């Protein structure tokens, strides 16, 4: 990592700074600020303090302390609340504050909590906690499941706020007594005006699930007391708005020296992939850290199908071989940092309600870079290796291979290789899950090949053959037993027709139109 005390590296060689033209420099700065403001639809909120939260082992105690110190209200919004040790700990803390007269509100996603039994929420209501489920399924909204409230927010009294990638469950807490490590995740906590801005963001999704908050419980960030010098931009992801998507693209196009990203479900849209590739081709140090063994094997397989064009452009991809890495972060040029709930895929960037914070602060960015470097120490780097085809010694192919990245001083440590292998096996998942992931990758590569986007490479030949055989088998079933395919399709189309008729007769407004308007900017 660059020493903060060292002189700054020279400007980009293609864009030398204009000598003596301070007006031009100031204009470019205004342009950049305006571009970030318009792409994120969010202003900078100044006057805050910021602290990085590494894993649930740091985030959960910080959240519980903030809940315990609440005087007026606690707002908790999270995609998943588990009925396990961690979930019950939070339930007890929230219920205690509600019994003490603090207004406590909990918003969870219905689909995210599909495995959480209804009895888990009864003690909340008995204690006076107001609980709402986001986007419960209804006959009139058959496709509502495609848009979820994926946010992870804790907001207390308009003075404390936290944003993270962590859901509330034992996966993120781990169990040291049983030797179960916590999932690797990242969050951030803030004090100052941005905490009020997070309360405002909560109020909007809360209103989508029922009646809005009372006006006196929606604080005004402009009136909040300044407590530090950190600038934060709260980026509220909403279906179709693509705010964090546009902001991430702008950052990829503007970054000068380095852009390091961590993402668990890395399925970047083509425009974002090209932005990263373009930055790498221009000499930017672009690195992406993803899980080696994904908790959703299909997503892991699809993610690997997109490695090749990024690697060929010079993007460095690392696979974390420890417990599931679930963090959604980015850090650029040691100055700008993103932390939040948005994954780099279309469902998250365009379809869900998400919440991220963009922090402009060198010490905070330096802490994020140190965390990233610690994560890739001991990871596996994916690279391109030249291979000569057997039939033609003059034709060179490049195959994807995995290279161990050792932490400094650990390259020759006795037992290091065996320890890594044991750790990798413990998080490798089931054989069935790995099979699904490989088939998903083969299907993605085959689709791209059929539309002429890329050629089938050596590492994908075998699995694409298996995928083709499965397609033949499915078509044979359809020919022999057409009802097995026709009935499910017919039922789904009928359901859509009923939903359309219900909408027509009731003329019900979609939930997004019931949300309170954005405050004037």
């Amino acid at each position: 990592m660059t020493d903060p005390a060292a002189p700054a590296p020279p400007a980009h060689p293609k864009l030398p700074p204009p000598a003596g033209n301070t007006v031009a420099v100031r204009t470019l700065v205004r342009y950049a600020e305006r571009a970030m403001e318009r792409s994120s639809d969010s202003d900078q909120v100044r006057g805050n303090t910021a602290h990085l939260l590494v894993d649930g082992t740091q985030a959960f105690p910080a959240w519980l302390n903030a809940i315990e110190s609440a005087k007026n209200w606690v707002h908790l919004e999270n995609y998943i609340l588990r009925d396990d040790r961690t979930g019950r700990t939070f339930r007890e803390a929230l219920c205690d504050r509600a019994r003490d007269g603090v207004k406590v509100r909990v918003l969870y996603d219905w689909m995210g909590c599909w495995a959480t039994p209804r009895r888990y929420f009864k003690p909340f209501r008995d204690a006076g906690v107001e609980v709402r489920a986001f986007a419960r399924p209804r006959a009139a909204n058959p496709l509502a499941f495609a848009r979820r409230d994926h946010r992870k927010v804790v907001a207390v009294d308009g003075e404390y706020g936290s944003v993270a990638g962590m859901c509330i469950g034992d996966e993120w807490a781990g169990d040291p007594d049983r030797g179960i490590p916590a999932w690797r995740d990242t969050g951030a906590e803030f004090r100052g005006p941005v905490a009020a801005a997070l309360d405002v963001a909560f109020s909007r999704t809360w209103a989508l699930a029922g009646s809005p908050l009372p006006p006196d419980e929606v604080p005004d960030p402009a009136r909040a007391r300044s407590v530090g010098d950190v600038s934060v931009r709260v980026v509220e992801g909403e279906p179709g708005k693509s705010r964090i998507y546009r902001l991430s693209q702008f950052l990829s196009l503007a970054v000068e020296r380095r852009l390091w990203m961590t993402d668990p479900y890395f399925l970047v849209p083509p425009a974002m992939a090209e932005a990263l590739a373009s930055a790498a081709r221009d000499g930017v140090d672009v690195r992406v850290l993803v899980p080696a063994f994904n908790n959703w094997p299909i997503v892991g397989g699809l993610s690997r199908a997109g490695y090749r064009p990024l690697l060929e452009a010079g993007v460095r991809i690392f696979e974390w071989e420890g417990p599931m890495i679930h963090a959604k972060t980015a850090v650029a040029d040691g100055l700008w940092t993103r932390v939040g709930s948005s994954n780099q895929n279309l469902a998250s960037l365009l379809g869900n309600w998400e919440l991220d914070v963009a922090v402009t602060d060198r010490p905070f960015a330096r802490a994020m870079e140190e965390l990233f470097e610690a994560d890739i120490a001991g990871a596996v780097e994916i690279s391109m290796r030249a291979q000569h085809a057997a039939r033609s010694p003059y034709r060179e192919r490049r195959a994807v291979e995995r290279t161990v990245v050792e932490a400094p001083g650990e390259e020759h440590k006795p037992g290091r290789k065996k320890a890594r292998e044991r750790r990798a096996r413990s998080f490798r998942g089931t054989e069935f899950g790995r099979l699904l992931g490989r088939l998903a990758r083969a299907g993605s590569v085959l689709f791209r090949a059929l539309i002429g986007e890329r050629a089938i490479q050596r590492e994908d030949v075998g699995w694409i053959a298996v995928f083709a055989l499965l397609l033949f088998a499915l078509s044979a079933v359809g020919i022999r037993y057409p009802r097995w395919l026709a009935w499910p399709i017919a039922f789904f189309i009928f359901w859509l027709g009923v939903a359309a008729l219900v909408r027509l007769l009731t003329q019900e407004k979609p939930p997004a139109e019931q949300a309170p308007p954005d405050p004037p900017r």
Side-chain angles (χ1 to χ4, degrees):
M1 181 182 300
T2 304
D3 186 352
H12 196 288
K14 295 184 179 181
L15 296 172
N21 196 343
T22 57
V23 175
V25 172
R26 291 173 182 172
T27 301
L28 289 174
V29 170
R30 289 201 306 272
Y31 282 176
E33 174 65 21
R34 188 177 299 118
M36 296 190 76
E37 179 181 314
R38 289 176 178 172
S39 60
S40 64
D41 198 19
S42 173
D43 294 328
Q44 288 260 42
V45 181
R46 294 175 171 81
N48 310 283
T49 62
H51 178 67
L52 202 61
L53 299 174
V54 182
D55 299 341
T57 53
Q58 289 187 10
F60 292 163
W63 293 354
L64 291 170
N65 287 337
I67 291 169
E68 184 179 355
S69 63
K71 298 177 182 178
N72 300 308
W73 65 74
V74 176
H75 295 154
L76 187 146
E77 179 178 5
N78 207 294
Y79 182 63
I80 297 175
L81 281 77
R82 298 269 194 232
D83 185 17
D84 55 20
R85 176 173 52 86
T86 301
R88 290 189 287 272
T89 298
F90 272 87
R91 183 180 64 184
E92 182 179 351
L94 292 165
C95 289
D96 285 345
R97 301 309 294 138
R99 283 189 285 264
D100 290 341
V102 175
K103 296 174 182 177
V104 179
R105 297 179 178 90
V106 174
L107 180 63
Y108 67 92
D109 187 81
W110 180 87
M111 178 173 284
C113 292
W114 68 272
T116 304
R118 294 182 63 181
R119 65 176 181 272
Y120 171 78
F121 298 101
K122 187 177 184 301
F124 280 119
R125 297 183 175 92
D126 293 342
V129 176
E130 194 172 354
V131 181
R132 291 181 184 176
F134 190 90
R136 287 185 182 276
R138 296 188 300 167
N141 297 321
L143 300 180
F145 69 90
R147 293 178 169 181
R148 313 308 313 170
D149 180 5
H150 193 245
R151 299 179 178 185
K152 292 92 176 177
V153 181
V154 178
V156 177
D157 293 341
E159 298 176 355
Y160 173 92
S162 181
V163 175
M166 286 154 279
C167 300
I168 295 177
D170 285 350
E171 300 100 313
W172 288 268
D175 191 342
D177 295 336
R178 298 170 57 192
I180 301 175
W183 279 14
R184 181 57 201 88
D185 217 324
T186 305
E189 62 178 1
F190 305 93
R191 297 186 183 276
V194 73
L198 292 174
D199 255 319
V200 173
F202 172 86
S203 72
R204 284 196 263 272
T205 44
W206 180 259
L208 293 175
S211 58
L213 291 176
D216 61 344
E217 294 182 34
V218 183
D220 183 358
R223 298 182 179 180
R225 182 172 59 91
S226 177
V227 297
D229 57 0
V230 177
S231 296
V232 184
R233 199 182 299 272
V234 177
V235 186
E236 299 182 47
E238 298 179 25
K241 299 294 186 181
S242 66
R243 288 166 179 157
I244 199 65
Y245 185 16
R246 289 183 291 155
L247 183 62
S248 298
Q249 281 186 294
F250 170 78
L251 185 71
S252 301
L253 297 172
V255 65
E256 289 189 338
R257 295 185 297 277
R258 57 188 178 272
L259 174 60
W260 297 348
M261 303 171 61
T262 302
D263 197 84
Y265 311 112
F266 188 69
L267 299 173
V268 287
M272 187 65 197
E274 180 55 30
L276 294 174
S278 178
R281 286 192 295 264
D282 206 26
V284 176
D285 178 12
V286 181
R287 305 185 193 184
V288 179
L289 179 64
V290 296
F293 311 112
N294 204 296
N295 67 316
W296 288 94
I298 291 179
V299 177
L302 291 172
S303 178
R304 289 189 176 95
Y307 284 179
R308 177 175 286 273
L310 293 173
L311 293 172
E312 290 174 342
V315 176
R316 299 180 67 186
I317 300 177
F318 299 83
E319 289 188 342
W320 161 271
E321 288 200 317
M324 173 65 184
I325 189 165
H326 194 257
K328 308 103 166 31
T329 64
V331 56
D333 287 340
L335 173 64
W336 186 94
T337 307
R338 176 182 67 84
V339 181
S341 66
S342 294
N343 300 306
Q344 293 295 313
N345 56 54
L346 284 177
S348 192
L349 296 173
L350 296 176
N352 295 338
W353 278 266
E354 306 279 0
L355 196 72
D356 298 83
V357 288
V359 182
T360 306
D361 182 67
R362 290 194 182 277
F364 190 86
R366 187 160 57 248
M368 179 64 76
E369 287 187 332
E370 291 172 354
L371 178 59
F372 187 90
E373 290 183 324
D375 285 339
I376 66 172
V380 171
E381 182 169 7
I382 309 301
S383 59
M384 303 296 296
R385 175 171 54 89
Q387 288 186 335
H388 293 283
R391 295 184 180 180
S392 174
Y394 302 102
R395 183 182 177 188
E396 185 179 81
R397 291 188 176 186
R398 297 182 68 80
V400 176
E401 68 173 2
R402 309 171 84 238
T403 305
V404 174
V405 182
E406 298 288 1
E410 302 232 346
E411 296 89 344
H412 308 292
K413 191 174 181 178
R416 172 71 172 170
K417 182 177 180 181
K418 291 184 179 180
R420 288 182 54 80
E421 291 175 351
R422 284 196 303 270
R423 185 178 67 169
R425 284 196 299 271
S426 65
F427 299 105
R428 198 178 294 271
T430 65
E431 290 293 336
F432 181 69
R434 283 186 286 162
L435 172 65
L436 289 180
R438 288 167 178 167
L439 287 177
R441 168 180 172 162
S444 177
V445 172
L446 178 60
F447 174 77
R448 293 182 181 185
L450 291 177
I451 64 175
E453 186 176 304
R454 62 170 289 184
I456 296 176
Q457 303 295 333
R458 182 175 179 179
E459 66 268 15
D460 297 311
V461 170
W463 283 100
I464 289 181
V466 174
F467 191 85
L469 291 176
L470 290 177
L471 290 177
F472 280 123
L474 183 61
S475 65
V477 170
I479 294 172
R480 182 68 179 84
Y481 305 103
R483 293 183 179 180
W484 290 12
L485 296 180
W487 279 106
I489 295 174
F491 174 77
F492 183 68
I493 294 175
F494 175 77
W495 186 11
L496 291 179
V498 170
L501 185 61
V502 170
R503 284 286 187 183
L504 180 63
L505 295 177
T506 60
Q507 296 184 357
E508 180 184 0
K509 292 183 179 180
E513 295 184 13
Q514 300 173 6
D518 291 344
R521 297 174 56 193

